[in-house]
Amino acid sequence: MFKGVLFDLDGVIADTSTLHFDAWKKLVNNYFSAKLPDSLEEKTKGVSRGDSLKVILNYLDVSVSDTMFQRLLVEKNQTYLASLENLSIKDRLPGITEFITELKQHEIKLALASASLNGPAILDKLELRDAFEAIADPSKVPYGKPAPDIFIAAAKALELNPRDCVGIEDSSAGITAINHSGAYSVAVGTHPELKAANMLLASTAELNLDTIRQAYPHN
Ligand code: G6P
Ligand code: MG
């Protein structure tokens, strides 16, 4: 049986995933009078703020000065934070409350392995901070997802080997990261690129201990 669960945040615990992309779309509209196609959303999911901006600038085929790059990051985050103003317990994704309760009952440890620098503040708004034994700091790992660093750091913060952990993700970058960390990957969502996961669930509502325990290979 696994001893820890390493959670992604946006799109797994919180209904915030589209808010990130909405903020990028607004920024791009304001600064470049351009529209981002929905297909770009998957390429920014799980990807750090700076790396997401690089993906977007690359799509737009524009280059900006370092000062402008930083200004765009600040402004995107301001728009994103404004959209979180009313975030509360109601924005936990379906099944998350029950799944976390189940994990706690079985004394399985929880760590956050999100690329978001806003992770701790969002857990506070969702009233979930106390449920987590550890929050891996994305600013302290050398490489962001799809590199495995944040999942390795999250397992380490729980004093566990990644092999003894399950990682949960809604992004393809995140599934690649979990797979390379050595943890057992569970994807939630329907995007075709999630097929690389060890276990694929259509939504967070399907997360439950028994389903994962039965498939987990190191029992
Ligand atoms: C998550 C989201 C990404 C976002 C990243 C950084 O991984 O899926 O869309 O770019 O966090 O979030 P932040 O809140 O630090 O800008
Ligand atoms: Mg996510």
Side-chain angles (χ1 to χ4, degrees):
M1 166 79 146
F2 50 90
K3 298 179 181 141
V5 176
L6 318 175
F7 280 89
D8 176 43
L9 175 65
D10 301 296
V12 169
I13 296 174
D15 194 7
T16 45
S17 203
T18 53
L19 300 179
H20 276 289
F21 199 59
D22 287 347
W24 286 125
K25 284 201 277 199
K26 188 172 172 198
L27 187 84
V28 164
N29 187 37
N30 287 349
Y31 278 83
F32 305 105
S33 304
K35 290 212 180 319
L36 293 178
D38 289 343
S39 58
L40 215 63
E41 183 169 3
E42 187 61 28
K43 294 195 165 50
T44 56
K45 264 192 199 171
V47 176
S48 74
R49 199 180 306 165
D51 286 346
S52 294
L53 182 54
K54 284 180 193 162
V55 168
I56 288 164
L57 293 175
N58 190 43
Y59 165 80
L60 296 171
D61 200 17
V62 292
S63 54
V64 296
S65 66
D66 288 351
T67 313
M68 179 57 124
F69 191 89
Q70 293 308 322
R71 188 166 146 194
L72 291 170
L73 290 182
V74 168
E75 196 159 320
K76 184 269 174 176
N77 197 47
Q78 283 169 347
T79 304
Y80 177 60
L81 287 178
S83 71
L84 296 184
E85 205 184 333
N86 296 319
L87 198 78
S88 72
I89 199 164
K90 71 177 183 331
D91 298 296
R92 292 181 188 177
L93 281 164
I96 282 297
T97 304
E98 296 79 357
F99 183 51
I100 288 179
T101 304
E102 225 181 348
L103 295 175
K104 293 270 140 208
Q105 281 164 352
H106 289 79
E107 292 177 16
I108 294 167
K109 293 189 201 165
L110 275 61
L112 193 71
S114 168
S116 175
L117 300 168
N118 297 302
I122 291 176
L123 283 188
D124 280 342
K125 280 176 175 280
L126 300 178
E127 297 175 38
L128 279 175
R129 173 92 84 124
D130 292 346
F132 283 76
E133 275 79 18
I135 298 177
D137 183 346
S139 71
K140 300 248 161 64
V141 297
Y143 297 103
K145 301 170 190 178
D149 305 31
I150 191 86
F151 286 98
I152 292 170
K156 196 172 172 195
L158 295 178
E159 299 180 347
L160 293 174
N161 187 316
R163 239 178 96 84
D164 294 321
C165 297
V166 166
I168 306 180
E169 265 289 349
D170 69 318
S171 72
S172 56
I175 289 299
T176 305
I178 298 172
N179 288 347
H180 287 142
S181 77
Y184 181 79
S185 58
V186 175
V188 286
T190 53
H191 197 279
E193 284 186 37
L194 295 175
K195 290 216 168 77
N198 297 127
M199 171 178 267
L200 184 55
L201 302 174
S203 83
T204 55
E206 291 183 18
L207 284 168
N208 72 76
L209 188 56
D210 269 347
T211 310
I212 302 174
R213 185 159 51 185
Q214 279 162 23
Y216 179 72
H218 315 302
N219 283 314

